[in-house]
Amino acid sequence: MRTINYQGWTLLISNQINDQMAKDLFDSAQNKKYVLTKTLKDNHRSSVKHVQINSDDLVLKVPKEKNERIWIRFLTLFRLGESFKNLKSMNLLSDIGVKTTTPIIAAEKRSFGMVVQSWLLYSYLDGTSCLDRPKTYPKVIGTLKSIHKKGYTHGDPQIRNFIEKENEIYVIDTNPKKAGLTGFDFGYEWAYLRKSAPGIEGLFSEILESGWYKFAYHYDLYARKFSRLKRRVLFKS
């Protein structure tokens, strides 16, 4: 991946397209010169649209909340903006052999060194969510194991972030990071997956015997109870 400057923006470009193609895609997305196929999500957090540009099926994602919140803007003085991070995450997963959406281009505009506007384009994945589809669970478990074996965490291993297409599992909405030196990061991911997919724990086999999994399971359980108690106390006060 590489970056170029164009019209006051910085573009992060995948190696699949050249600079001129990137500029053309930027113009199309920025000036809304696309065919809107479907709005996949539109709330205070993000806008996600299935669009067609030059007959290519793409997803245009705008992380609205991350672009607008003052504290998050400030933090981009020291780290990547959300759109660049998302695109690099897709690229990383592909590099370690995990199927995911194909990264195309991300664009960000900074003011006083902070990201104030950004969006990204990636390939549209015409698959089916694994949510409430127990027959896909063994393959989901295998996919998460493969990420862990490479020394990375998924970042948000909810069952809805695993998609089945042509009998293969793809991961979406990830934020992969190098795992810590202990096994807690992996254990916590299994506990998180378990919470989002009732019944999947019965397929965990040797994972159930992991001390880190047991610790993470109870840590998550009591952390959520404490969070609910805190909200009730604050609400009453």
Side-chain angles (χ1 to χ4, degrees):
M1 303 191 102
R2 63 196 185 281
T3 59
I4 64 171
N5 294 319
Y6 181 62
Q7 295 189 3
W9 290 64
T10 302
L11 311 184
L12 177 64
I13 308 166
S14 81
N15 293 329
Q16 300 186 49
I17 61 174
N18 60 40
D19 290 1
Q20 186 56 53
M21 293 170 65
K23 292 175 181 178
D24 291 343
L25 284 170
F26 173 88
D27 290 336
S28 295
Q30 187 65 18
N31 298 310
K32 298 183 179 180
K33 294 180 179 179
Y34 52 73
V35 176
L36 176 62
T37 301
K38 184 179 181 180
T39 297
L40 304 174
K41 183 192 298 184
D42 189 11
N43 54 36
H44 73 284
R45 297 188 64 184
S46 62
S47 168
V48 185
K49 298 176 180 178
H50 175 197
V51 302
Q52 282 195 333
I53 300 177
N54 300 326
S55 299
D56 291 327
D57 279 317
L58 303 171
V59 174
L60 173 61
K61 179 178 180 181
V62 182
K64 294 190 291 187
E65 184 179 45
K66 297 291 178 67
N67 285 342
E68 296 167 2
R69 293 185 66 176
I70 300 301
W71 177 244
I72 295 176
R73 283 185 175 184
F74 174 74
L75 290 176
T76 59
L77 285 169
F78 316 103
R79 67 186 190 189
L80 291 173
E82 185 69 11
S83 293
F84 275 26
K85 184 171 66 175
N86 286 174
L87 209 73
K88 282 182 174 288
S89 293
M90 296 174 198
N91 195 60
L92 170 61
L93 288 172
S94 295
D95 284 348
I96 64 174
V98 177
K99 293 185 179 298
T100 185
T101 47
T102 303
I104 306 295
I105 180 177
E108 67 174 30
K109 190 171 188 177
R110 289 180 179 256
S111 178
F112 299 103
M114 298 178 289
V115 175
V116 294
Q117 295 183 63
S118 74
W119 51 261
L120 67 151
L121 282 171
Y122 53 92
S123 62
Y124 175 71
L125 180 61
D126 188 16
T128 305
S129 170
C130 294
L131 179 66
D132 297 326
R133 298 179 64 228
K135 69 176 184 178
T136 67
Y137 291 176
K139 289 186 287 187
V140 168
I141 291 171
T143 299
L144 187 56
K145 281 183 177 180
S146 69
I147 296 174
H148 290 176
K149 285 179 181 177
K150 296 291 185 178
Y152 289 90
T153 57
H154 178 292
D156 188 14
Q158 300 181 64
I159 193 65
R160 63 180 177 83
N161 288 336
F162 294 85
I163 303 293
E164 185 183 40
K165 180 182 179 181
E166 297 175 353
N167 295 317
E168 296 199 81
I169 300 297
Y170 291 70
V171 297
I172 61 171
D173 289 342
T174 62
N175 182 25
K177 294 180 181 178
K178 272 288 187 181
L181 296 178
T182 71
F184 177 77
D185 289 344
F186 296 145
Y188 191 79
E189 292 226 308
W190 291 114
Y192 203 71
L193 177 61
R194 167 203 158 276
K195 182 172 60 178
S196 70
I200 198 171
E201 186 182 40
L203 304 173
F204 281 179
S205 61
E206 79 281 358
I207 297 166
L208 294 173
E209 303 305 316
S210 165
W212 284 115
Y213 170 72
K214 294 175 182 178
F215 176 73
Y217 168 81
H218 288 96
Y219 171 85
D220 180 62
L221 183 65
Y222 288 109
R224 283 187 287 132
K225 286 183 178 179
F226 177 76
S227 179
R228 288 195 295 267
L229 176 62
K230 182 179 177 181
R231 285 198 296 268
R232 286 199 297 267
V233 171
L234 290 176
F235 180 76
K236 289 180 180 179
S237 61

